[in-house]
Amino acid sequence: MRGWIRVAAAVPPLHAADPQANAEEIRQVLKEADERGADVVVFPSCALTGATSGDLFCTQTLQSATQEALDEVVEASRNTRLTLVLSIVDGTQAKAQERIVVIQNGTCIEDSRFRLMNRYDGSLLCRCTVASLSPVSRVRMSDLAQEKNADLFLLSAAIPAQVGGTKRLAQEIKALSARGAGVVLACAGEEETGIDTFYAGDRLLAENGRLVADGGTLGRPSFFYGGVGSQGSLPDEVIGESAIYYDFDLDAIAAEHEEGEVPEEEVASLLMTPRRRAQWSHVDSMPFVVKTEEECEEILQIQARALARRMRHVKTRQVWIGLSGGLDSTLAFLVALRTFALCGWDTQGIHLVSMPAFGTGKRTRNNAAALGERSGCDFREISLTPVLTRHFQDIGLQEGDHSVAFENAQARERTQILMDLANLQGGLHVGTGDFSESALGWCTFNGDHMAMFNVNGSIPKTLVQALVAYEAKNLPTLAAILKDILETPISPELLPGKEGEIVQKTEEVIGPYVLHDFYLYHFLRFHYAPDKLLALAQKAFRGTYSTATLLFVLRKMFSRFFASQFKRSVMPDGISVGAISLSPRGGWRMPSDVQATAWLMQVDRLQEEEGDA
């Protein structure tokens, strides 16, 4: 695990053409940054002199004063963990030329690229590119986009404030980081003497295509998640006197980084000790769940259009869906409604079949009937009790034996009925199983595990809930039913209950889906080890779930995920809507007989450490 690196974008007060005063301001930032455990601090362009000193850059007096001030800053960095990035200008009678300097522990290097190495084992943490965006340097963001080997871009800047300028700059920073990088930009502030221009002191941080912090001298800094500015769970210390701080996840950056064809160059190596906990960074508790209605709409459109494409291919306008009154089948039904509306087909071609059996509750049964009847689609109910009673007699399952054979027979019978009906009518059996169930094997092999086409296969349970809630806003005639379905406990409803009540509650058995989805996202996308998964979960769910619960679910997730690969190896065709897929045809590839031993041993060690704490 590479861990986290704490970065700071600093815009201290500037004293025009007064390097000594500016060096003192920088030393104050260093003192604060060192106390707050920062690893890297980025200053604006020409922080020792001001970027708009003009012809003064070419004077020997200012050059000498700048060098003396730089020496003082270098000495001030000694015996700290900090790496400083700033620029200075060398001037001659002909022209002024800006150069970047990188300072660490009393050492100064001048290079546009360097590597941060682990202080303890010497391993590579990340590759850094430093640059200045100022009128003197003439470097543009498009120039930086050509740099393929950088994990971190550390940018000094002097960009005048303009209407809409910060927004455009933020978009450029996000784009630069989108191919797998962290970006830190510190821009000259309002003390910069620009005569006809004003500098707003933009401090922008982006990680893997997401703006995570935006702080200018014109207002209080904002920390972002999902496009909403929020302080969130971050401590007050993330906002300093003139700097803002954030912890970049080096593992996430490395996992997303797109390697270029640029050959490895001989560059300077600097040392640092990464932190092992996420402290000053946002950790989304529901990373699979989209944050805007536009994204919900996009996902549903992808699902609907994919189903339409398959239906046109098999030349049918008939779909058969097992409607249980639960979340997953409800989403599949809603997607089918969109598909038929998109294609202008008669919704009588949507066949909804409720198949109550021994464990079916009154609430879900009533909701399934209400959806079917109110939607105007073809709806029917087929009781499984008679056929299953005979089946159990045929295979010798004793009455009262509620073992796995009792449960799985119900799921397989439902799938058989739906496929046979689809064959009889020349239609398509649409599967309802979701991503989370597939990942955890919470499905019956050749039962709800199988379908002719699955629209939910890449939709995790937490996202299923979000999409159904979104559609509840768009479909007023179905809204009350959809809201009740959202509030119904998640259950396979395979075990008998008293008076139609739900007795088999999934999350009481395997733990909350919100935790499973959280772990699955970070494990499948970034391949994180158990210790990092736990560290992230402790931050994301502080005050909600105990460490004991987090570890219980972590163990359950790994054991079930590895044991269930055989189901995913033969999963039916479906549509992928996000960056993570479990499809064996291009998503997740893993042998069916692999063991989770190595991962579970690490979880056991974490549990032992928790017990000793």
Side-chain angles (χ1 to χ4, degrees):
M1 183 173 86
R2 284 189 169 106
W4 286 266
I5 178 174
R6 181 162 297 168
V7 300
V11 182
L14 177 72
H15 306 270
D18 189 346
Q20 295 300 320
N22 293 327
E24 179 57 31
E25 298 287 0
I26 291 174
R27 283 197 295 269
Q28 292 302 314
V29 173
L30 297 190
K31 180 180 178 182
E32 175 191 275
D34 193 38
E35 291 173 349
R36 301 189 184 195
D39 300 297
V40 178
V41 184
V42 180
F43 291 91
S45 291
C46 311
L48 285 170
T49 58
T52 55
S53 294
D55 289 339
L56 293 177
F57 283 132
C58 299
T59 65
Q60 185 62 46
T61 301
L62 186 58
Q63 289 182 43
S64 297
T66 301
Q67 186 59 52
E68 291 176 9
L70 177 62
D71 292 341
E72 292 176 10
V73 172
V74 172
E75 184 59 30
S77 74
R78 198 177 300 280
N79 299 321
T80 72
R81 62 178 291 156
L82 293 166
T83 297
L84 284 63
V85 175
L86 51 85
S87 70
I88 60 176
V89 173
D90 294 325
T92 65
Q93 290 184 349
K95 63 178 180 179
Q97 185 171 354
E98 188 176 0
R99 57 188 171 96
I100 285 282
V101 294
V102 179
I103 302 166
Q104 185 188 67
N105 195 19
T107 300
C108 181
I109 66 170
E110 298 183 19
D111 203 321
S112 62
R113 299 181 183 89
F114 66 93
R115 302 180 300 177
L116 287 177
M117 310 293 291
N118 191 318
R119 190 185 305 273
Y120 294 134
D121 61 18
S123 61
L124 176 65
L125 293 171
C126 63
R127 294 156 296 188
C128 304
T129 288
V130 293
S132 174
L133 306 176
S134 75
V136 180
S137 72
R138 297 181 178 84
V139 174
R140 298 292 179 266
M141 202 74 73
S142 57
D143 301 326
L144 298 173
Q146 307 305 313
E147 175 60 71
K148 300 298 184 182
N149 264 5
D151 300 300
L152 287 181
F153 289 91
L154 308 173
L155 309 179
S156 299
I159 303 173
Q162 295 178 341
V163 175
T166 297
K167 184 176 181 180
R168 289 192 297 272
L169 184 60
Q171 291 297 327
E172 290 181 311
I173 292 297
K174 287 170 59 178
L176 183 60
S177 73
R179 54 108 177 117
V183 180
V184 184
L185 179 140
C187 187
E190 59 186 280
E191 299 298 326
E192 181 74 58
T193 174
I195 306 177
D196 295 326
T197 55
F198 178 78
Y199 295 82
D202 291 314
R203 293 166 294 179
L204 299 171
L205 294 90
E207 181 181 36
N208 286 348
R210 177 170 60 92
L211 191 69
V212 295
D214 176 3
T217 55
L218 297 180
R220 180 176 173 80
S222 295
F223 291 81
F224 292 81
Y225 200 88
V228 179
S230 172
Q231 183 73 7
S233 61
L234 295 177
D236 291 339
E237 289 83 353
V238 298
I239 303 176
E241 188 68 27
S242 57
I244 57 175
Y245 300 83
Y246 195 81
D247 291 349
F248 276 160
D249 188 339
L250 296 178
D251 295 289
I253 288 171
E256 294 287 292
H257 187 73
E258 298 177 5
E259 295 289 347
E261 298 297 324
V262 180
E264 187 67 27
E265 299 180 8
E266 289 295 325
V267 296
S269 295
L270 299 177
L271 298 174
M272 63 161 284
T273 305
R275 63 202 69 246
R276 310 295 289 182
R277 297 276 176 177
Q279 293 176 298
W280 294 3
S281 61
H282 287 286
V283 181
D284 185 8
S285 61
M286 291 195 285
F288 276 119
V289 178
V290 294
K291 311 305 177 188
T292 66
E293 292 190 346
E294 289 77 11
E295 291 171 303
C296 287
E297 182 67 28
E298 184 177 11
I299 290 171
L300 289 162
Q301 284 287 332
I302 292 172
Q303 290 178 279
R305 290 175 183 276
L307 177 58
R309 174 65 182 87
R310 178 54 58 94
M311 292 178 67
R312 288 195 298 268
H313 178 71
V314 300
K315 298 180 174 58
T316 186
R317 295 185 181 182
Q318 313 283 324
V319 293
W320 294 82
I321 300 172
L323 194 65
S324 68
L327 279 168
D328 296 333
S329 63
T330 297
L331 179 59
F333 155 67
L334 294 172
V335 170
L337 279 181
R338 281 176 166 264
T339 299
F340 277 64
L342 179 71
C343 298
W345 297 338
D346 186 350
T347 55
Q348 280 294 300
I350 301 175
H351 305 281
L352 307 173
V353 186
S354 172
M355 292 168 281
F358 307 103
T360 303
K362 290 181 179 179
R363 185 174 185 179
T364 52
R365 187 174 183 174
N366 291 339
N367 279 335
L371 274 182
E373 293 165 1
R374 198 167 296 182
S375 67
C377 300
D378 173 47
F379 174 78
R380 67 191 69 182
E381 183 176 287
I382 301 175
S383 173
L384 300 188
T385 303
V387 68
L388 285 173
T389 300
R390 176 59 187 269
H391 176 63
F392 292 152
Q393 293 172 355
D394 291 342
I395 67 173
L397 184 71
Q398 298 298 313
E399 186 175 350
D401 182 346
H402 295 161
S403 63
V404 65
F406 175 84
E407 295 189 51
N408 286 346
Q410 298 172 68
R412 292 192 179 106
E413 184 61 30
R414 288 185 173 113
T415 299
Q416 175 177 271
I417 289 173
L418 289 167
M419 286 196 171
D420 288 348
L421 283 169
N423 287 162
L424 184 65
Q425 303 293 335
L428 191 73
H429 166 217
V430 175
T432 62
D434 67 44
F435 176 96
S436 305
E437 292 180 341
S438 179
L440 301 174
W442 198 255
C443 54
T444 297
F445 189 83
N446 209 35
D448 51 328
H449 153 266
M450 191 50 61
M452 295 175 180
F453 189 77
N454 192 354
V455 294
N456 292 344
S458 65
I459 311 294
K461 189 73 75 178
T462 48
L463 181 54
V464 171
Q465 294 168 321
L467 294 175
V468 172
Y470 169 71
E471 286 292 66
K473 299 178 182 179
N474 299 326
L475 301 170
T477 59
L478 303 179
I481 308 169
L482 296 179
K483 289 176 181 177
D484 192 64
I485 289 171
L486 285 164
E487 295 170 359
T488 303
I490 298 170
S491 171
E493 293 191 302
L494 299 173
L495 295 178
K498 294 181 180 179
E499 299 179 355
E501 294 298 317
I502 297 174
V503 296
Q504 194 179 15
K505 298 179 181 178
T506 302
E507 292 180 298
E508 290 182 358
V509 179
I510 63 173
Y513 269 114
V514 68
L515 295 182
H516 282 291
D517 283 359
F518 179 85
Y519 287 139
L520 286 166
Y521 176 88
H522 291 286
F523 173 62
L524 295 172
R525 184 163 188 179
F526 303 126
H527 303 168
Y528 286 164
D531 60 340
K532 182 151 187 174
L533 291 174
L534 178 62
L536 288 167
Q538 286 174 322
K539 179 171 178 59
F541 299 101
R542 182 181 294 118
T544 304
Y545 295 108
S546 67
T547 299
T549 298
L550 298 179
L551 284 167
F552 168 80
V553 176
L554 185 60
R555 166 172 268 282
K556 188 71 72 173
M557 185 276 289
F558 276 120
S559 61
R560 294 196 64 93
F561 180 82
F562 278 80
S564 304
Q565 177 62 23
F566 75 99
K567 297 180 182 180
R568 297 188 293 271
S569 293
V570 290
M571 66 192 302
D573 280 359
I575 180 63
S576 293
V577 300
I580 302 175
S581 169
L582 291 174
S583 169
R585 296 170 293 274
W588 183 261
R589 296 179 299 277
M590 185 174 81
S592 294
D593 300 323
V594 72
Q595 298 293 321
T597 306
W599 287 265
L600 295 178
M601 286 177 62
Q602 290 191 27
V603 176
D604 289 342
R605 284 197 291 269
L606 292 170
Q607 289 176 321
E608 291 172 3
E609 293 170 3
E610 175 65 15
D612 294 338

